[in-house]
Amino acid sequence: MSKVALVIGAGTTGNIGHATAAKLHSEGYKVVVADIAFDHIEFTQVLTDVTNEAEVNGLLKLIKNRYGKLDLIVNSAGVNILGPIDKYSLEDFNKTIAVNLTSNYLLLQAYVRAFGKDGVYKKFIAITSDTAMIPKSSTFAYGASKAGANQFLRCVARELNKYHKDPWLVTGLALGRVMTPMDSKTIEDLVEQRNITREKAEEMLNANIPMGRGLAPEEVAEWVYFLATKGDFASGNIIRVDGGQVQG
């Protein structure tokens, strides 16, 4: 029977989730994609707000009823709302924490509850960020949410692998710059907030990346597939893929 994968945040063509869903589908997975909106009609789609507990539980119940198992969840839901501390709204802060951190808690909890005793090797891979490790101006909410996600994944991986009978891979990919629609939004925010050109914003984003460029979403998808198929011993780790940006 084909393996079943749930990819969160795959609603926008050209983003990490969409590229990951396409990669998994090409490798023979049955792919379910969830997001709050879709600009394409590919894969099995379920409209889901992964910051809403009832909707997450409903999503996992639907997959269990339809397929009877779930081999892999990839959570690539994410928002990055830039802004200075004195002007940043509580609404934007709470939204960032909910999408980037709380979604991992809700999804993994529902995964354990729905499939935790089925004997299948279960895998949960979250997309995090090297911003969790590098202080950057105007990104305190995003950085805090991703740092929290990294530690959440480490702690739950330890718990599941020590105290649950079924085997689990729980890990994160801490990415640097990725050339997605969200990256374009970051450039727009920089242009507006710092009164600079798009070219200058691009230069700023690449300045601290020794390789001098961002990742393509398809490259991220290859890393996800590698972890899903060969990364068992990486459970409890955060794998940094950022072109050396943490080194500066």
Side-chain angles (χ1 to χ4, degrees):
M1 180 180 178
S2 298
K3 290 186 176 182
V4 179
L6 168 62
V7 182
I8 307 298
T12 302
T13 304
N15 71 5
I16 292 169
H18 181 260
T20 298
K23 172 63 179 177
L24 294 172
H25 177 74
S26 74
E27 297 292 345
Y29 282 73
K30 292 184 182 298
V31 178
V32 179
V33 293
D35 211 325
I36 57 174
F38 292 91
D39 68 4
H40 58 82
I41 55 172
E42 300 171 82
F43 319 113
T44 298
Q45 300 180 352
V46 185
L47 285 169
T48 307
D49 177 356
V50 289
T51 69
N52 182 294
E53 184 178 15
E55 292 192 24
V56 170
N57 289 336
L59 172 63
L60 272 289
K61 182 178 180 180
L62 182 152
I63 293 172
K64 188 168 188 177
N65 290 340
R66 181 173 297 184
Y67 300 107
K69 69 168 188 171
L70 180 57
D71 300 275
L72 168 66
I73 293 179
V74 181
N75 184 17
S76 67
V79 294
N80 184 10
I81 305 171
L82 300 181
I85 185 66
D86 57 326
K87 297 179 181 178
Y88 208 85
S89 72
L90 179 60
E91 179 182 6
D92 285 344
F93 187 86
N94 286 340
K95 178 179 179 180
T96 302
I97 297 297
V99 174
N100 297 346
L101 172 55
T102 307
S103 66
N104 287 299
Y105 153 70
L106 292 175
L107 285 161
L108 193 44
Q109 182 183 72
Y111 195 10
V112 174
R113 287 174 173 174
F115 297 93
K117 297 179 180 180
D118 63 2
V120 174
Y121 201 129
K122 287 165 286 292
K123 304 181 180 185
F124 185 94
I125 300 170
I127 302 300
T128 69
S129 173
D130 68 354
T131 304
M133 310 165 195
I134 310 171
K136 299 177 184 178
S137 301
S138 301
T139 62
F140 52 85
Y142 184 75
S145 69
K146 294 298 189 177
N150 286 350
Q151 187 65 358
F152 168 80
L153 294 168
R154 294 186 188 104
C155 290
V156 177
R158 176 180 173 82
E159 175 184 327
L160 291 176
N161 284 309
K162 282 183 69 69
Y163 302 112
H164 283 244
K165 190 173 182 179
D166 287 358
W168 283 84
L169 168 72
V170 178
T171 191
L173 275 176
L175 305 177
R177 186 183 183 195
V178 186
M179 311 299 286
T180 64
M182 191 168 82
D183 182 74
S184 296
K185 177 63 167 58
T186 299
I187 291 174
E188 291 171 7
D189 287 348
L190 286 171
V191 168
E192 179 181 350
Q193 294 174 18
R194 303 195 181 185
N195 193 29
I196 58 177
T197 64
R198 289 188 66 88
E199 291 73 20
K200 181 62 177 177
E202 283 273 359
E203 182 181 322
M204 288 174 58
L205 290 176
N206 287 331
N208 292 321
I209 305 174
M211 291 186 68
R213 67 172 182 88
L215 283 161
E218 292 76 16
E219 291 178 282
V220 179
E222 292 290 341
W223 277 94
V224 171
Y225 182 68
F226 171 79
L227 283 174
T229 55
K230 298 181 176 65
D232 294 355
F233 216 64
S235 190
N237 287 275
I238 306 301
I239 313 300
R240 182 167 52 80
V241 183
D242 69 349
Q245 187 169 354
V246 167
Q247 280 82 12

